[in-house]
Amino acid sequence: MNKPTLTFVIPCYNEEATLQITVDYLNELLRQYIFNQLISEKSFLLFVNDGSVDATWQIIKNNGSNAVRGLKLSNNVGHQNALLAGLHFVNNKCDCCISIDADLQDDIAVTLPMIEQYLNGSHIVYGVRNSRRTDSAGKKFTAHLFYKIMKGLGCDVVYNHADFRLLSNKILTELQKYREVNLFLRGLFPVMGFTSTQVFYERKKRTAGETKYPFKKMLQLAINGITSFSNYPLKIITRIGLLVFLGSILISLWVAYVVITGRSVPGWASITLPIYFLGGVQLLALGIIGEYLGKIYLETKGRPRFHIEEEI
Ligand code: UDP
Ligand code: MG
């Protein structure tokens, strides 16, 4: 069998603090794999600069070579879209591709079993975290909650897997068919099917720089993930609505009984409580519907998800 051509896709946003180390590490790894006849000499690294405002692009340019290539997006489009830009770019330029974060929190050593799984016939190899020891208690809890909710809603996401994975070129080609603007890649690949496996690793702390995923962005990603893959929240609304309606019928029966038996006391609670309750339920319902409506709006516009300004 011919040696496969492997590419690494690395989205980078303001990563000047860690990028040079990452380039050196991955370059060395690639050199070793080529030396050991595991992959072809045409293999390369692709750094996608996601509209960084620091020296990130300069660093990528300085390292530019056959093995180190760069893609400069015209503005910051977010991790998922930057990754997509890279995945589209390497399609048909390789046999398989591994996506990995620029901070090397993910263990590059397991890229070897990933490649082996690919050679054994897997189209998708998910990198799965063994534990979350390096995470703060808050991140651990919210992450766990997120996977629980996704599972409860019937979304088939791989537990503790982020965007560290190997994809065959076939998958990259299939990916071109997905046109959605609201992108949640880790929900997408399990939906595709194909032979897939998992490899396990321990996630490290960031080598340098700070996280580009503060709580607000994480929440956004989670909401996007849930609403992009499930209509269940809309169904919940209907059920709550039905329940409240039935409840109000019971209450009116009770009110009639109280009036008939002449025991009615001018009640404050019985008036204000339903107002707050119904107001809350309605706002919640409107909010959820709004989330979906906003999505439909974005999808119908069908705007491009990224622009490539420069290529190295
Ligand atoms: N990233 C990106 N665009 C963004 C935010 C992040 O390309 O708008 C990249 C970032 O450079 C890194 C990866 O996405 O390579 C994951 O980000 P980070 O390590 O900050 O997330 P965390 O590991 O803290 O969840
Ligand atoms: Mg990170």
Side-chain angles (χ1 to χ4, degrees):
M1 190 181 168
N2 274 341
K3 286 170 285 176
T5 301
L6 171 72
T7 55
F8 278 89
V9 174
I10 310 117
C12 317
Y13 176 58
N14 294 346
E15 296 285 7
E16 63 179 5
T18 136
L19 198 56
Q20 189 56 54
I21 308 170
T22 306
V23 174
D24 294 340
Y25 264 84
L26 288 178
N27 218 351
E28 176 56 27
L29 187 77
L30 206 66
R31 224 183 45 74
Q32 270 178 27
Y33 286 165
I34 293 174
F35 181 78
N36 292 331
Q37 310 272 323
L38 187 67
I39 57 175
S40 90
E41 306 83 56
K42 283 183 283 176
S43 303
F44 64 92
L45 313 173
L46 179 74
F47 291 88
V48 182
N49 177 27
D50 184 17
S52 303
V53 291
D54 65 358
T56 298
W57 183 238
Q58 200 51 49
I59 297 173
I60 297 171
K61 263 168 124 173
N62 292 346
N63 285 282
S65 70
N66 261 344
V68 181
R69 304 190 199 171
L71 215 57
K72 184 185 182 209
L73 304 185
S74 61
N75 59 351
N76 180 244
V77 291
H79 175 225
Q80 296 289 295
N81 286 312
L83 183 53
L84 183 77
L87 296 179
H88 278 191
F89 184 82
V90 298
N91 184 204
N92 294 331
K93 294 186 179 71
C94 64
D95 297 304
C96 57
C97 129
I98 294 176
S99 52
I100 187 166
D101 287 353
D103 53 11
L104 291 195
Q105 280 186 278
D106 305 308
D107 188 1
I108 57 173
V110 299
T111 54
L112 183 61
M114 277 181 170
I115 298 168
E116 285 166 355
Q117 292 293 349
Y118 165 75
L119 293 172
N120 282 338
S122 280
H123 281 287
I124 308 173
V125 187
Y126 299 102
V128 178
R129 299 171 65 170
N130 269 332
S131 73
R132 288 184 167 265
R133 258 189 293 162
T134 51
D135 278 0
S136 66
K139 186 146 186 171
K140 244 183 244 169
F141 175 73
T142 48
H144 184 70
L145 191 70
F146 170 73
Y147 287 108
K148 269 258 140 60
I149 292 176
M150 287 296 274
K151 210 174 165 137
L153 296 180
C155 302
D156 188 18
V157 282
V158 178
Y159 188 69
N160 269 349
H161 159 73
D163 284 297
F164 180 36
R165 70 178 83 81
L166 178 143
L167 302 170
S168 72
N169 190 53
K170 183 157 188 66
I171 299 289
L172 295 178
T173 307
E174 293 302 307
L175 183 64
Q176 305 266 4
K177 295 181 190 163
Y178 288 75
R179 309 301 316 166
E180 59 224 69
V181 175
N182 298 286
L183 201 62
F184 187 65
L185 289 170
R186 71 186 83 157
L188 236 167
F189 295 113
V191 169
M192 278 190 190
F194 290 95
T195 315
S196 63
T197 34
Q198 306 183 350
V199 294
F200 296 89
Y201 69 101
E202 203 67 55
R203 197 168 205 235
K204 291 172 267 197
K205 278 205 184 307
R206 239 178 190 279
T207 43
E210 51 191 50
T211 176
K212 310 304 183 282
Y213 264 106
F215 183 70
K216 204 177 125 201
K217 263 197 185 172
M218 246 164 46
L219 191 68
Q220 234 169 16
L221 185 74
I223 292 179
N224 196 11
I226 291 167
T227 51
S228 293
F229 282 91
S230 168
N231 287 337
Y232 197 72
L234 287 174
K235 289 190 188 141
I236 296 179
I237 295 181
T238 322
R239 285 175 200 174
I240 293 178
L242 202 68
L243 221 68
V244 172
F245 174 69
L246 290 177
S248 62
I249 289 181
L250 288 180
I251 292 175
S252 53
L253 285 178
W254 174 71
V255 167
Y257 167 76
V258 168
V259 170
I260 291 167
T261 53
R263 287 192 296 161
S264 65
V265 182
W268 175 82
S270 58
I271 296 172
T272 48
L273 271 181
I275 293 177
Y276 282 118
F277 181 63
L278 284 175
V281 169
Q282 280 174 2
L283 282 180
L284 175 72
L286 280 178
I288 297 181
I289 293 171
E291 277 291 327
Y292 283 97
L293 199 67
K295 294 235 144 124
I296 296 170
Y297 175 61
L298 286 177
E299 297 294 349
T300 48
K301 278 201 289 193
R303 289 196 178 173
R305 293 164 288 184
F306 53 82
H307 300 283
I308 295 171
E309 186 176 328
E310 216 180 312
E311 223 182 281
I312 304 244

